Amino acid sequence: MSDGAAGDAVVVRAPAKLNVHLGVGPPREDGFHGLATVYFAVSLHDTVTARPGEGLTLRLTGEGTGVAGGPGQVPADRTNLVWRAAELLAGAAGVRPDAELHVAKSIPVAAGLAGGSADAAATLVALDALWGTRAAREDLLGLAARLGSDVPFGLVGGVALGTGRGEQVTPVLAAGRWHWVLGIAGEGLSTPAVYGELDRLRAGGRVPDVAEPTPAGPVLAALRSGTAADLATALSNDLQPAALSLRPDLRRALRAAQDAGALAALVSGSGPTVAALAPDEQGAVRLAAELAGVGVFRTVRAVTGPVPGARVLP
Ligand code: C5P
């Protein structure tokens, strides 16, 4: 092993995701919910850097880590999905898990943007390169699925249909570039709590029950047509009523986005991030400025997409 000089570093960019369609079925026997979802990777990235090391070490900096003023919600130990990704790949490849890992976080934690999943996918890609394990794409996707439902999409990026519990990912055609403003509200939401709340609301008849996840047809058609207005009318998220039930203040956030000129606004994944679709790039800049001033969001970011999944940077 070398001494970990900068030249040995493998750097991978990990994009956040939105769900532009999230159809949720009833709970399955394994406790997960069947999904028909459309993932959409956006230009808000964490960066995972892997260097040669003795044993495994993990350092986290930036958003939510407590290092740059964040509240420190991310553990830098073996419970972190990044650590588990490293051990899983090492075990599968039959190599020792020797690496120094650094995750520079920009994606907020527990925000419905799959930041932890993106970091785990990026770690698989970084360590595959660092260790020269040359895992087949299918094998990496299989390891990713074992780490979490959203992790395989982190490898694929772009726009993709997710089925099963979200781990079966098929890239789909998207004939355009879309501009969003992400409004990140104060406190994170727990994904299992939001799924549980949806089950409760459905059982109580407060939202319609379904036998199957709603298919993604309209959003897929809108993504092929390329116009922001078409996409705006097709956006949907079954978890939104559950996120709103747990965090009623999000209604105000959605309304603020619409009042500020968004074509549409929805809760991203299990929330609490609000994704507001802008008509174009200029519109996104204006919308971001407006939303930064309304006092509803902790952070406001203008992003674009689709962008590629976890890739080694040159
Ligand atoms: O797969 P992942 O570890 O990201 O899932 C976190 C939790 O979210 C699961 O334990 C489950 O409670 C919920 N979940 C679900 N159905 C899915 C995906 C996640 O109920 N399709």
Side-chain angles (χ1 to χ4, degrees):
M1 284 269 164
S2 76
D3 64 5
D8 298 321
V10 178
V11 183
V12 176
R13 238 162 50 158
K17 65 85 187 144
L18 310 176
N19 299 82
V20 289
H21 174 87
L22 183 44
V24 180
R28 313 189 309 195
E29 277 188 1
D30 62 5
F32 286 91
H33 294 70
L35 300 185
T37 190
V38 179
Y39 295 110
F40 186 110
V42 294
S43 60
L44 173 63
H45 298 97
D46 288 351
T47 305
V48 175
T49 304
R51 293 187 170 83
E54 286 290 321
L56 204 55
T57 56
L58 172 59
R59 194 163 63 88
L60 299 159
T61 54
E63 175 75 30
T65 62
V67 175
Q73 311 152 50
V74 197
D77 58 21
R78 49 179 15 102
T79 63
N80 190 299
L81 211 50
V82 161
W83 193 295
R84 289 173 44 209
E87 288 192 327
L88 195 60
L89 178 65
V95 300
R96 278 182 25 199
D98 287 334
E100 268 180 43
L101 292 168
H102 172 218
V103 183
K105 291 203 65 69
S106 296
I107 307 172
V109 178
L113 296 169
S117 298
D119 297 346
T123 300
L124 291 175
V125 171
L127 292 178
D128 184 48
L130 184 77
W131 293 337
T133 39
R134 293 174 181 275
R137 188 87 183 143
E138 281 310 306
D139 293 341
L140 278 189
L141 286 166
L143 297 179
R146 287 171 59 187
L147 291 164
S149 308
D150 291 340
V151 183
F153 175 69
L155 294 175
V156 172
V159 182
L161 184 64
T163 54
R165 60 182 165 85
E167 90 287 12
Q168 291 166 33
V169 177
T170 313
V172 297
L173 184 72
R177 188 151 199 87
W178 287 270
H179 299 275
W180 304 85
V181 176
L182 306 182
I184 295 137
E187 226 173 88
L189 268 173
S190 141
T191 304
V194 177
Y195 276 100
E197 182 66 5
L198 176 63
D199 293 341
R200 212 179 58 79
L201 293 175
R202 283 178 169 169
R206 305 222 348 245
V207 302
D209 211 352
V210 296
E212 295 288 333
T214 310
V219 95
L220 294 177
L223 288 164
R224 280 193 299 270
S225 89
T227 80
D230 290 341
L231 184 59
T233 58
L235 297 170
S236 76
N237 178 2
D238 281 354
L239 289 180
Q240 181 163 307
L244 291 174
S245 170
L246 294 175
R247 289 280 300 277
D249 55 307
L250 285 176
R251 278 183 207 287
R252 200 173 139 230
L254 289 170
R255 211 170 314 115
Q258 266 146 0
D259 291 348
L263 295 178
L266 85 170
V267 169
S268 171
S270 55
T273 297
V274 166
L277 182 60
D280 51 31
E281 189 170 6
Q282 287 253 303
V285 173
R286 274 198 301 273
L287 184 57
E290 184 106 354
L291 287 181
V294 295
V296 175
F297 301 108
R298 177 166 62 84
T299 313
V300 172
R301 298 287 300 258
V303 298
T304 184
V307 300
R311 297 281 177 286
V312 176
L313 293 183

